[in-house]
Amino acid sequence: MPNAYQKIYPDRSSTHTLRKANISVSFFGEKQGLPERKVREMAKKNNHEIRDPIYAFVHMDSSEREVLNSAPVQRLRHIHQLALTSLVYPGATHRRFEHSLGVMELATRIYNAVLENGEIDILDIDGKYDKIYYLRVLRMAALVHDIGHAPFSHASEDLFPGDCNHEVMTLRLIESDEMERLWAMLKIQTEDVAKLALGRDHPKKKTFSNTEAILSEIITGDAFGADRMDYLLRDSHHTGVAYGRFDHYRLIETLRILPKAYEGGSKEPALGVETGGLQSAEALLLARYFMFSQLYFHPVRRIYDIHLKEYLQAWLKGGRFPVDVAEHLNLTDNEVMAGIWRASRDPDLPGHDVAARIVMRNHYRVLYTRNPDDVLKCREAGLAIYTAACAEFGEENVRHDRPKIPASQVAFPVLEPDGRIVSSLLKSDALRYIPEVAVDTVYIRPELLDAGRAWLNENRESIIESGSELEDMT
């Protein structure tokens, strides 16, 4: 009977099996049955386990470990997953490195689950070679999908120049000389890795086969992408915010590749779920909603993103990240934090004020947050208050933040017990009505907070009433 390791990796021997193969070896100089060279080859470990707080172990072989040890992947040890969130949630010190390992592990489990459920024909994976080849490509694409991130990840994303972004940098690194040599060693195609790692965000807007589309969805998909699953589970674990947890074991076991038959009889395949896993799918998408509303859009966490960006604009040459591959690899959170530390103590260095605020945790304070009563009177209430506060206290003393995640209506196929396929949005009221996450926050310099609150209490109604002019402008 296969053990748990063999269920996830059916084509590999377990470490127990490898140990049994060497039972007849004497380590007192006498060879029994096998040549000494063969014994040494068998004793050399090829399958490796990496401890992980979410999945217990992440597995890889010696060839894959060469990719893990590459400069682009190792750099992720020095890129925080959640920027400066540890200033609010002290446990949030995890990095893109362990997230990338987690995405690789989850993608592997999803791949094996859908193949075990009989989707080889739909995937057009013909025979054992194709199965092994695409598994290798999928795993490596999952491992490198984030290597293009700038320091502090998404908090500084819009400081890339021109049309560059972290997807463009990821593609450049995947196609770099160092990584090309590794793909050749693994006997996989660079373009295949890039397609699966970047999916629909591929900068070159490649055409995808059904196989490539499904495999990239396993990593980057909006509904069941391993990237999304892992960051919710991992961020929840490290911050202590329970909202990101869901039954990923049950969800993965029930994933299927199904045609979108509910779209006029379409045969286009997509990643879907058996009806028994629908509640797990609901929990995943609701977890995303709660994590954005409770963690990612936390007002103090968000102001530190703003302060960090302000510092980087002062510190970076031209206020923009470099796009040269070598320069990108040499820039991590470590260099930025060293700069912040120095600038916080030297008034003559660029970004001194904001650096001191980060180091001393003296961030701008919340003056106003979105209120539904205010929105009924003026859709742009937050903008009206920000504009008035700038006029009253000076633009340099006020900040405005208004991120939004649209209402999530993710449609995917659901397989009914009678074999029919329906849309998730018809099957689940919970999925149909997941609301948007909208934040509208005005911050003020802490030294002006008391004066700002007194001013706002006295003038709020008149400011909101006059905000109708701003509605017309937006």
Side-chain angles (χ1 to χ4, degrees):
M1 176 178 292
N3 58 31
Y5 177 87
Q6 290 167 319
K7 284 184 177 180
I8 299 172
Y9 299 96
D11 296 321
R12 298 185 184 180
S13 300
S14 69
T15 51
H16 174 66
T17 304
L18 293 176
R19 284 196 297 269
K20 288 199 296 184
N22 288 326
I23 280 178
S24 63
V25 179
S26 168
F27 293 98
F28 295 93
E30 182 182 356
K31 294 174 285 186
Q32 300 178 3
L34 292 173
E36 182 177 357
R37 182 179 175 183
K38 185 68 173 178
V39 168
R40 288 177 179 172
E41 289 177 357
M42 293 178 65
K44 185 177 180 181
K45 187 172 183 177
N46 185 53
N47 297 319
H48 309 277
E49 306 86 30
I50 301 170
R51 288 276 187 182
D52 184 78
I54 311 300
Y55 314 116
F57 289 101
V58 173
H59 303 86
M60 60 177 18
D61 64 31
S62 295
S63 297
E64 293 171 331
R65 199 163 64 165
E66 294 295 312
V67 179
L68 182 72
N69 289 333
S70 67
V73 178
Q74 286 296 310
R75 174 180 172 273
L76 297 180
R77 290 182 182 271
H78 310 288
I79 306 292
H80 284 84
Q81 178 80 3
L82 293 178
L84 295 176
T85 300
S86 61
L87 293 174
V88 185
Y89 298 88
T93 57
H94 54 304
R95 317 298 171 100
R96 290 271 157 188
F97 182 78
E98 51 262 42
H99 165 64
S100 298
L101 285 168
V103 175
M104 181 182 71
E105 180 67 18
L106 271 187
T108 303
R109 297 184 185 187
I110 295 170
Y111 179 86
N112 287 329
V114 296
L115 290 191
E116 287 175 6
N117 283 331
E119 268 74 42
I120 293 179
D121 292 339
I122 299 177
L123 275 176
D124 196 25
I125 292 178
D126 185 18
K128 187 175 181 180
Y129 173 81
D130 278 357
K131 181 180 178 182
I132 294 173
Y133 175 83
Y134 281 114
L135 176 59
R136 177 80 86 183
V137 173
L138 178 78
R139 286 171 56 78
M140 294 301 94
L143 184 62
V144 302
H145 80 282
D146 267 351
I147 57 177
H149 269 291
F152 297 101
S153 302
H154 293 289
S156 57
E157 175 73 18
D158 57 357
L159 294 183
F160 282 109
D163 294 330
C164 190
N165 54 33
H166 81 268
E167 286 91 1
V168 171
M169 292 306 302
T170 296
L171 179 60
R172 291 179 182 177
L173 287 164
I174 288 172
E175 294 176 342
S176 66
D177 292 342
E178 178 181 5
M179 303 309 289
E180 287 273 17
R181 287 192 292 270
L182 292 169
W183 309 141
M185 178 269 292
L186 290 169
K187 296 181 173 58
I188 57 179
Q189 298 297 313
T190 303
E191 183 174 336
D192 292 342
V193 176
K195 279 186 171 182
L196 269 55
L198 298 167
R200 64 186 179 186
D201 293 323
H202 196 297
K204 295 181 180 178
K205 303 300 179 185
K206 293 283 187 176
T207 300
F208 284 64
S209 67
N210 282 341
T211 302
E212 292 166 341
I214 291 295
L215 294 182
S216 69
E217 189 180 352
I218 287 176
I219 299 173
T220 66
D222 287 336
F224 308 117
D227 181 25
R228 174 175 290 186
M229 288 192 200
D230 183 84
Y231 79 65
L232 289 172
L233 293 167
R234 196 169 299 276
D235 293 351
S236 178
H237 172 84
H238 285 283
T239 59
V241 176
Y243 304 112
R245 298 171 190 164
F246 58 96
D247 188 357
H248 67 283
Y249 300 104
R250 175 62 172 165
L251 179 58
I252 290 174
E253 287 295 323
T254 57
L255 287 179
R256 301 285 296 269
I257 299 172
L258 303 166
K260 297 179 180 178
Y262 49 86
E263 294 184 353
S266 172
K267 294 184 179 180
E268 179 189 353
L271 207 56
V273 68
E274 298 171 6
T275 190
L278 184 59
Q279 286 71 36
S280 299
E282 291 173 335
L284 163 63
L285 294 169
L286 286 167
R288 179 174 180 265
Y289 166 76
F290 288 125
M291 287 291 277
F292 269 97
S293 59
Q294 292 293 313
L295 174 62
Y296 305 135
F297 286 175
H298 186 289
V300 180
R301 204 205 72 77
R302 289 289 302 179
I303 192 60
Y304 276 119
D305 281 356
I306 293 171
H307 287 328
L308 175 63
K309 181 179 174 182
E310 290 170 342
Y311 174 76
L312 287 168
Q313 287 174 316
W315 182 70
L316 291 168
K317 184 177 180 180
R320 291 287 182 265
F321 286 119
V323 295
D324 176 74
V325 166
E327 291 183 64
H328 175 85
L329 291 175
N330 286 328
L331 188 58
T332 70
D333 294 5
N334 298 338
E335 287 72 35
V336 177
M337 282 307 302
I340 289 174
W341 189 260
R342 287 193 299 271
S344 71
R345 283 156 172 73
D346 187 345
D348 295 327
L349 287 177
H352 164 72
D353 179 73
V354 71
R357 293 194 181 282
I358 292 171
V359 171
M360 302 306 296
R361 207 178 179 280
N362 189 28
H363 57 84
Y364 277 32
R365 269 30 181 204
V366 174
L367 176 65
Y368 172 82
T369 58
R370 187 174 188 265
N371 184 291
D373 289 337
D374 296 342
V375 174
L376 288 175
K377 299 172 186 175
C378 173
R379 190 177 69 251
E380 296 294 341
L383 180 58
I385 289 172
Y386 167 70
T387 303
C390 286
E392 180 72 18
F393 299 102
E395 188 175 349
E396 71 279 5
N397 295 316
V398 186
R399 299 291 181 269
H400 188 205
D401 184 44
R402 52 189 307 183
K404 180 187 289 188
I405 297 295
S408 177
Q409 287 196 343
V410 180
F412 53 84
V414 178
L415 180 63
E416 296 277 44
D418 62 5
R420 288 186 291 176
I421 296 171
V422 298
S423 168
S424 58
L425 298 181
L426 294 177
K427 185 74 175 174
S428 168
D429 288 339
L431 295 180
R432 195 159 59 249
Y433 298 115
I434 295 177
E436 71 173 10
V437 184
V439 172
D440 199 351
T441 309
V442 178
Y443 301 88
I444 193 167
R445 194 180 186 92
E447 296 83 358
L448 298 172
L449 180 61
D450 290 340
R453 285 177 173 171
W455 166 82
L456 184 59
N457 286 337
E458 184 177 342
N459 297 282
R460 180 186 291 108
E461 293 304 318
S462 61
I463 293 171
I464 291 173
E465 287 176 8
S466 64
S468 56
E469 297 175 5
L470 293 172
E471 288 185 351
D472 296 334
M473 294 170 60
T474 57

